[in-house]
Amino acid sequence: MATKANQATASNLAGKARASAPAAFALPDAGDGAREFHFSDADFRGLVDLAYKFAGIALSDSKRNLVYSRLSRRLRTLGMKTFSTYREYLEETESERENFINAISTNLTKFFRESHHFDHFREQIAVPFSRNRSTNRLRVWSAGCSSGEEPHTIAMVLKREIRDVERQDVRILATDIDTEMVARGTRGEYPENSLDEVPRAYQEYFERTSKPNTLVVDRAVRSLIAFKRLNLMETWPFKGPFDAIFCRNVMIYFDGPTKAQLIERFTEKIRPGGFLYIGHSESLNGAHPGISLVGRTIYRRV
Ligand SMILES: C[S@@+](CC[C@H](N)C(=O)[O-])C[C@H]1O[C@@H](n2cnc3c(N)ncnc32)[C@H](O)[C@@H]1O
């Protein structure tokens, strides 16, 4: 059944496809002469439209070289000679969508990124939960979790504040559209120098492994998190409600209508008094009646 959100996304897509057609003649010269594969304006526009259709990702013209270089690898792997062959294959082959999305998504992240969010989360969610035992249920969603640094940071904060956290009904849902990122998050292994991002008080939650220069997050911390592949543009197969949702540095890739629709859907999933954390450059324009700004890029469900 098509949800309200899906319908909105489909109509955004139609608008986007119409809007993109005239611009096909306005792109700068891509310097094709020096390239391994011919990459026409039609190829770029076609791939931009598919990124929007499959993932809601709105790629600007400045991403042309990035799209070329990341997808050239797919062409080589598949033994294809042209981007138009690849586009046809992508349209016809559902399994290739995953590789396409994995290739074009941007996964930059780190532990304790925008650390003021975790200070707020600790004070407003973790500490009150550890003091008030009228409920033992706590749910947090890291939506667009990339390789897992964000949900592991949330889990470390909860583990540190709630000493018997494993015996409580405390769960973190960590989702991303990129299957390689979901697999990395599930492994919980990170290069040793990731510790540079982690405050000293939390470094005890990392252990050495037999692999060189690799640490693994403590099993008790990892056990709080369920990693799943989820495209935010599709139906969400869970009810909530969540005490907090982190969707940071994800909506930056979406256009205005997609972002507004997503905020509405997040709002429905947060319990009254719960919080939505967004990225530093993602301030919300327009009216969002269900949430109010209570801190730097922090919204409270009314
Ligand atoms: C820059 S990372 C942000 C990671 C983390 N939230 C942070 O702030 O450090 C953006 C993530 O959003 C994911 N993403 C992009 N479009 C998505 C979609 N439609 N559904 C789910 N995840 C998506 C990408 O795969 C990527 O891992």
Side-chain angles (χ1 to χ4, degrees), residues 9 101 121 166 189 194 242:
T9 304
I101 296 298
F121 175 75
E166 299 101 298
E189 293 179 349
S194 307
F242 292 94

Side-chain angles (χ1 to χ4, degrees), residues 122 126-127 130 133 156-163 202 205:
R122 191 180 64 76
V127 171
S130 70
R133 284 301 160 94
M156 285 188 275
V157 170
L158 292 174
K159 171 81 178 139
R160 192 168 152 76
E161 293 306 325
I162 309 165
R163 283 291 160 187
Y202 293 92
Y205 298 124

Side-chain angles (χ1 to χ4, degrees), residues 55-57 105-110 113 143-146 150 176-178 181 230-233 248-250 253-254:
I57 295 174
S105 62
T106 296
N107 310 113
L108 188 76
T109 186
K110 61 179 190 168
R113 184 180 194 181
C145 64
S146 188
E150 180 177 278
D176 201 282
I177 195 171
D178 186 331
M181 293 302 118
L230 178 74
N231 181 352
L232 289 169
M233 299 301 120
R248 308 182 313 152
N249 309 299
V250 179
Y253 303 106
F254 302 154

Side-chain angles (χ1 to χ4, degrees), residues 20 22 68 71 77 81 104-105 109 111 149 159 169 215 220 225 230 248 253 255 271 273 279 289 295 297:
S20 68
Y68 173 84
L71 291 176
T77 304
K81 299 261 178 290
I104 60 160
S105 62
T109 186
F111 290 104
E149 285 84 340
K159 171 81 178 139
D169 183 15
L215 301 172
I225 311 170
L230 178 74
R248 308 182 313 152
Y253 303 106
D255 64 7
R271 68 155 167 84
T297 53

Side-chain angles (χ1 to χ4, degrees), residues 32-242:
D32 244 10
R35 286 183 155 165
E36 181 181 356
F37 302 105
H38 177 64
F39 190 48
S40 68
D41 290 347
D43 290 329
F44 179 61
R45 289 285 153 211
L47 293 166
V48 166
D49 287 347
L50 291 175
Y52 191 78
K53 179 175 165 185
F54 297 153
I57 295 174
L59 294 166
S60 65
D61 287 351
S62 66
K63 295 288 189 296
R64 185 177 173 130
N65 286 337
L66 178 142
V67 169
Y68 173 84
S69 68
R70 292 197 184 169
L71 291 176
S72 292
R73 275 178 240 151
R74 284 305 302 151
L75 266 71
R76 269 178 234 122
T77 304
L78 294 164
M80 289 179 178
K81 299 261 178 290
T82 67
F83 268 94
S84 59
T85 317
Y86 179 70
R87 280 167 52 206
E88 269 170 40
Y89 177 71
L90 180 57
E91 297 251 31
E92 288 162 6
T93 319
E94 193 151 346
S95 59
E96 181 56 20
R97 286 184 192 179
E98 180 179 323
N99 296 315
F100 171 66
I101 296 298
N102 289 1
I104 60 160
S105 62
T106 296
N107 310 113
L108 188 76
T109 186
K110 61 179 190 168
F111 290 104
F112 288 89
R113 184 180 194 181
E114 298 176 48
S115 64
H116 69 282
H117 284 159
F118 301 103
D119 296 338
H120 181 275
F121 175 75
R122 191 180 64 76
E123 284 157 22
Q124 298 295 323
I125 298 283
V127 171
F129 180 87
S130 70
R131 291 194 182 142
N132 168 16
R133 284 301 160 94
S134 62
T135 175
N136 72 342
R137 183 187 187 279
L138 182 64
R139 293 287 182 276
V140 184
W141 181 13
S142 167
C145 64
S146 188
S147 41
E149 285 84 340
E150 180 177 278
H152 281 113
T153 302
I154 297 166
M156 285 188 275
V157 170
L158 292 174
K159 171 81 178 139
R160 192 168 152 76
E161 293 306 325
I162 309 165
R163 283 291 160 187
D164 60 347
V165 68
E166 299 101 298
R167 288 193 293 281
Q168 304 300 315
D169 183 15
V170 173
R171 303 294 297 149
I172 299 160
L173 173 66
T175 65
D176 201 282
I177 195 171
D178 186 331
T179 49
E180 281 170 26
M181 293 302 118
V182 172
R184 278 170 59 177
T186 306
R187 283 198 296 278
E189 293 179 349
Y190 298 95
E192 234 169 41
N193 62 6
S194 307
L195 273 194
D196 299 347
E197 304 156 6
V198 179
R200 192 165 291 275
Y202 293 92
Q203 293 188 357
E204 63 176 279
Y205 298 124
F206 290 81
E207 292 164 6
R208 300 208 164 277
T209 67
S210 51
K211 296 180 197 164
N213 304 321
T214 306
L215 301 172
V216 65
V217 179
D218 175 273
R219 182 189 291 273
V221 171
R222 279 188 287 134
S223 71
L224 300 176
I225 311 170
F227 282 94
K228 304 245 182 281
R229 191 252 173 208
L230 178 74
N231 181 352
L232 289 169
M233 299 301 120
E234 294 172 358
T235 307
W236 300 344
F238 43 77
K239 279 215 289 280
F242 292 94

